[in-house]
Amino acid sequence: MKIIVLKETIYENRVALIPSDVSLLTKTHEVYIEHNLANHLGYFDKDYENAGAKIFSDIDQKHLLPSADIVIKFSCLLKKELKFIKPSTIVINNVYLANNPKILKLYLKTGVKTVGMELIQKNGHYEFLSFNEQIKGKYGAMVGAFYLNHCFNKIGYGKSFGELKYIKNSVNYTVLNYSYAALETIKTALAFGSHVTLLESNEEYINYVKQNPTIQQLCAATGSTFNIVPSDFDSIFNTCKTTDVLINTTQVPGAKTKLRITSDMIVALPKGAVFVDLGADQGFGSEVTPKPTNPKKGFDVISGHIVVCLEDIPSYFPQSLSECTSKFLTNNLLAIPTTGSVVQEFLNHPELKSGFQTYDGKIVNKEIGESLNLDYEKI
């Protein structure tokens, strides 16, 4: 089996495979790594060569790609790369197609078979999505804390956490809907000593969170409190009135983020409060975040509140997430037999089959199809 790893775009810092895992794959597979794939992470061409991989340059793509069984790249394949992909090749990527209809249209037009890392699941657990969303959740809580702690040109309170000599600050975090990211946001905020409210109506999620031992331990250790209230419109609006940091996350893997936060809810936040939207990769979760925040600007000011809409957060943590992704992909790729059709072996592998997004010009993922009101077929 021939595996080709392409260099990422300038905005994506993660890499799909690191040398230590390549050395495992090359025992049974051919692995090709594009020149200077991971120099920025301290993994050089010689490290990949020592692991048994072969290095190729951009000019070699037209010769290599037509013979590939698997092509791996976090970001969307470029048109010049797609034109060399044959029907029997599988492209593994991390593109949220429900929020990228132009890329979806390109994939459908070329008929490429794509597998989304974020969609691969086993018994309802999305491993790749979980460790990326964990990073999002931790980071979202810290971003909220940073902007709550500061005052920028009279915008924001500059409110600290915990006890000072004469005061004991009480910071209220509110997290909308349970998700992998939400769970990490909750735990991080509790570790800060904050009081946390989860807005959720799904009984299964509610019971799971209530029984989470880490949440219970953090509340006991820090004196924080954790509450769950329904996620209907009135409950969201009323909770916003006493919220210092409001965090929105994405709930359904592969689906477009639901718009749940209205402009009125943002206005209802106390003066100096912070809203962090973590759903940008799959769409936008509020009326006030129709596009990501400009990184150079840092935040937007809406109705006197600090608003931050973050996208591509995993690319901020390339070292950790490249290591996790490499282990995840290697484990799955080593599970594929080395004989027979690679496409058929993917279809025979329940976890890998669950990750298909497009197949021979058709959408084959329910969440993508329903998010865009397009027809889809199950494989």
Side-chain angles (χ1 to χ4, degrees):
M1 185 166 67
K2 182 180 286 188
I3 302 168
I4 295 179
V5 183
L6 294 173
K7 194 183 296 184
E8 299 295 336
T9 64
I10 191 172
Y11 302 105
E12 178 56 72
N13 299 312
R14 295 169 295 173
V15 299
L17 293 175
I18 63 174
S20 59
D21 292 316
V22 168
S23 66
L24 300 175
L25 289 170
T26 52
K27 292 178 181 179
T28 50
H29 305 310
E30 292 181 79
V31 179
Y32 291 79
I33 301 292
E34 189 162 0
H35 173 57
N36 289 341
L37 172 76
N39 282 9
H40 60 293
L41 298 181
Y43 303 127
F44 301 101
D45 287 352
K46 64 179 181 180
D47 299 316
Y48 283 104
E49 287 179 318
N50 290 338
K54 298 176 183 178
I55 306 299
F56 69 96
S57 62
D58 179 70
I59 200 170
D60 298 322
Q61 286 187 6
K62 63 182 179 181
H63 303 298
L64 274 177
L65 288 177
S67 62
D69 293 304
I70 296 174
V71 174
I72 308 175
K73 185 178 181 179
F74 277 102
S75 46
C76 172
L77 264 64
L78 305 175
K79 288 183 179 180
K80 68 174 185 176
E81 296 165 341
L82 278 170
K83 70 180 182 181
F84 298 122
I85 301 296
K86 62 182 181 180
S88 58
T89 300
I90 291 176
V91 174
I92 300 177
N93 63 189
N94 179 213
V95 179
Y96 294 95
L97 294 180
N99 193 43
N100 291 280
K102 289 184 179 179
I103 296 174
L104 174 61
K105 184 177 180 180
L106 179 63
Y107 280 176
L108 295 176
K109 182 179 179 180
T110 57
V112 64
K113 296 177 177 67
T114 62
V115 169
M117 300 183 210
E118 72 283 357
L119 296 177
I120 296 174
Q121 63 161 306
K122 182 177 182 180
N123 298 325
H125 176 66
Y126 297 80
E127 184 182 352
F128 172 85
L129 188 66
S130 68
F131 55 73
N132 281 273
E133 290 291 299
Q134 284 176 327
I135 286 285
K136 278 188 183 182
K138 294 176 191 290
Y139 188 65
M142 291 189 288
V143 168
F146 176 82
Y147 284 111
L148 184 68
N149 289 169
H150 290 73
C151 183
F152 304 88
N153 297 323
K154 309 299 183 183
I155 302 295
Y157 268 157
K159 186 176 183 179
S160 68
F161 289 79
E163 294 186 28
L164 297 176
K165 185 173 183 180
Y166 296 109
I167 61 173
K168 183 177 181 179
N169 281 321
S170 178
V171 173
N172 297 316
Y173 268 75
T174 295
V175 183
L176 180 57
N177 292 130
Y178 173 81
S179 65
Y180 292 121
L183 183 58
E184 292 304 315
T185 297
I186 291 166
K187 291 191 287 188
T188 304
L190 289 173
F192 291 158
S194 306
H195 302 295
V196 181
T197 297
L198 172 66
L199 293 158
E200 180 57 70
S201 295
N202 183 295
E203 287 298 327
E204 181 181 351
Y205 294 150
I206 290 172
N207 291 331
Y208 175 78
V209 175
K210 280 183 176 179
Q211 297 170 15
N212 186 281
T214 303
I215 290 177
Q216 296 171 2
Q217 292 163 8
L218 285 167
C219 288
T222 64
S224 306
T225 60
F226 174 64
N227 299 300
I228 303 175
V229 301
S231 55
D232 59 90
F233 179 91
D234 288 340
S235 296
I236 297 173
F237 184 82
N238 290 327
T239 305
C240 283
K241 294 177 182 179
T242 57
T243 294
D244 295 303
V245 180
L246 175 63
I247 307 280
N248 180 63
T249 68
T250 301
Q251 193 172 25
V252 182
K256 192 174 178 64
T257 301
K258 292 183 178 179
L259 197 155
R260 302 293 304 281
I261 305 295
T262 66
S263 299
D264 288 341
M265 292 174 183
I266 299 300
V267 172
L269 291 168
K271 180 177 171 58
V274 181
F275 170 52
V276 182
D277 190 348
L278 298 178
D281 291 335
Q282 291 177 238
F284 302 97
S286 83
E287 293 176 346
V288 300
T289 53
K291 62 181 180 179
T293 302
N294 186 329
K296 293 181 180 179
K297 189 176 179 182
F299 64 93
D300 296 305
V301 179
I302 298 174
S303 301
H305 305 102
I306 292 175
V307 174
V308 185
C309 181
L310 300 168
E311 67 174 349
D312 299 327
I313 295 173
S315 68
Y316 301 172
F317 301 87
Q319 186 72 52
S320 298
L321 290 179
S322 293
E323 291 179 16
C324 289
T325 301
S326 185
K327 290 285 187 296
F328 165 75
L329 288 174
T330 299
N331 290 339
N332 279 287
L333 292 173
L334 288 176
I336 303 172
T338 56
T339 57
S341 162
V342 173
V343 173
Q344 190 57 52
E345 295 299 346
F346 263 67
L347 294 175
N348 292 340
H349 191 292
E351 289 82 36
L352 293 174
K353 181 180 178 181
S354 69
F356 275 100
Q357 303 163 307
T358 63
Y359 193 99
D360 292 347
K362 299 176 183 178
I363 299 171
V364 292
N365 176 269
K366 176 183 177 181
E367 283 71 30
I368 295 172
E370 290 184 347
S371 292
L372 298 172
N373 294 316
L374 296 173
D375 293 334
Y376 66 92
E377 296 181 11
K378 289 186 177 181
I379 301 179

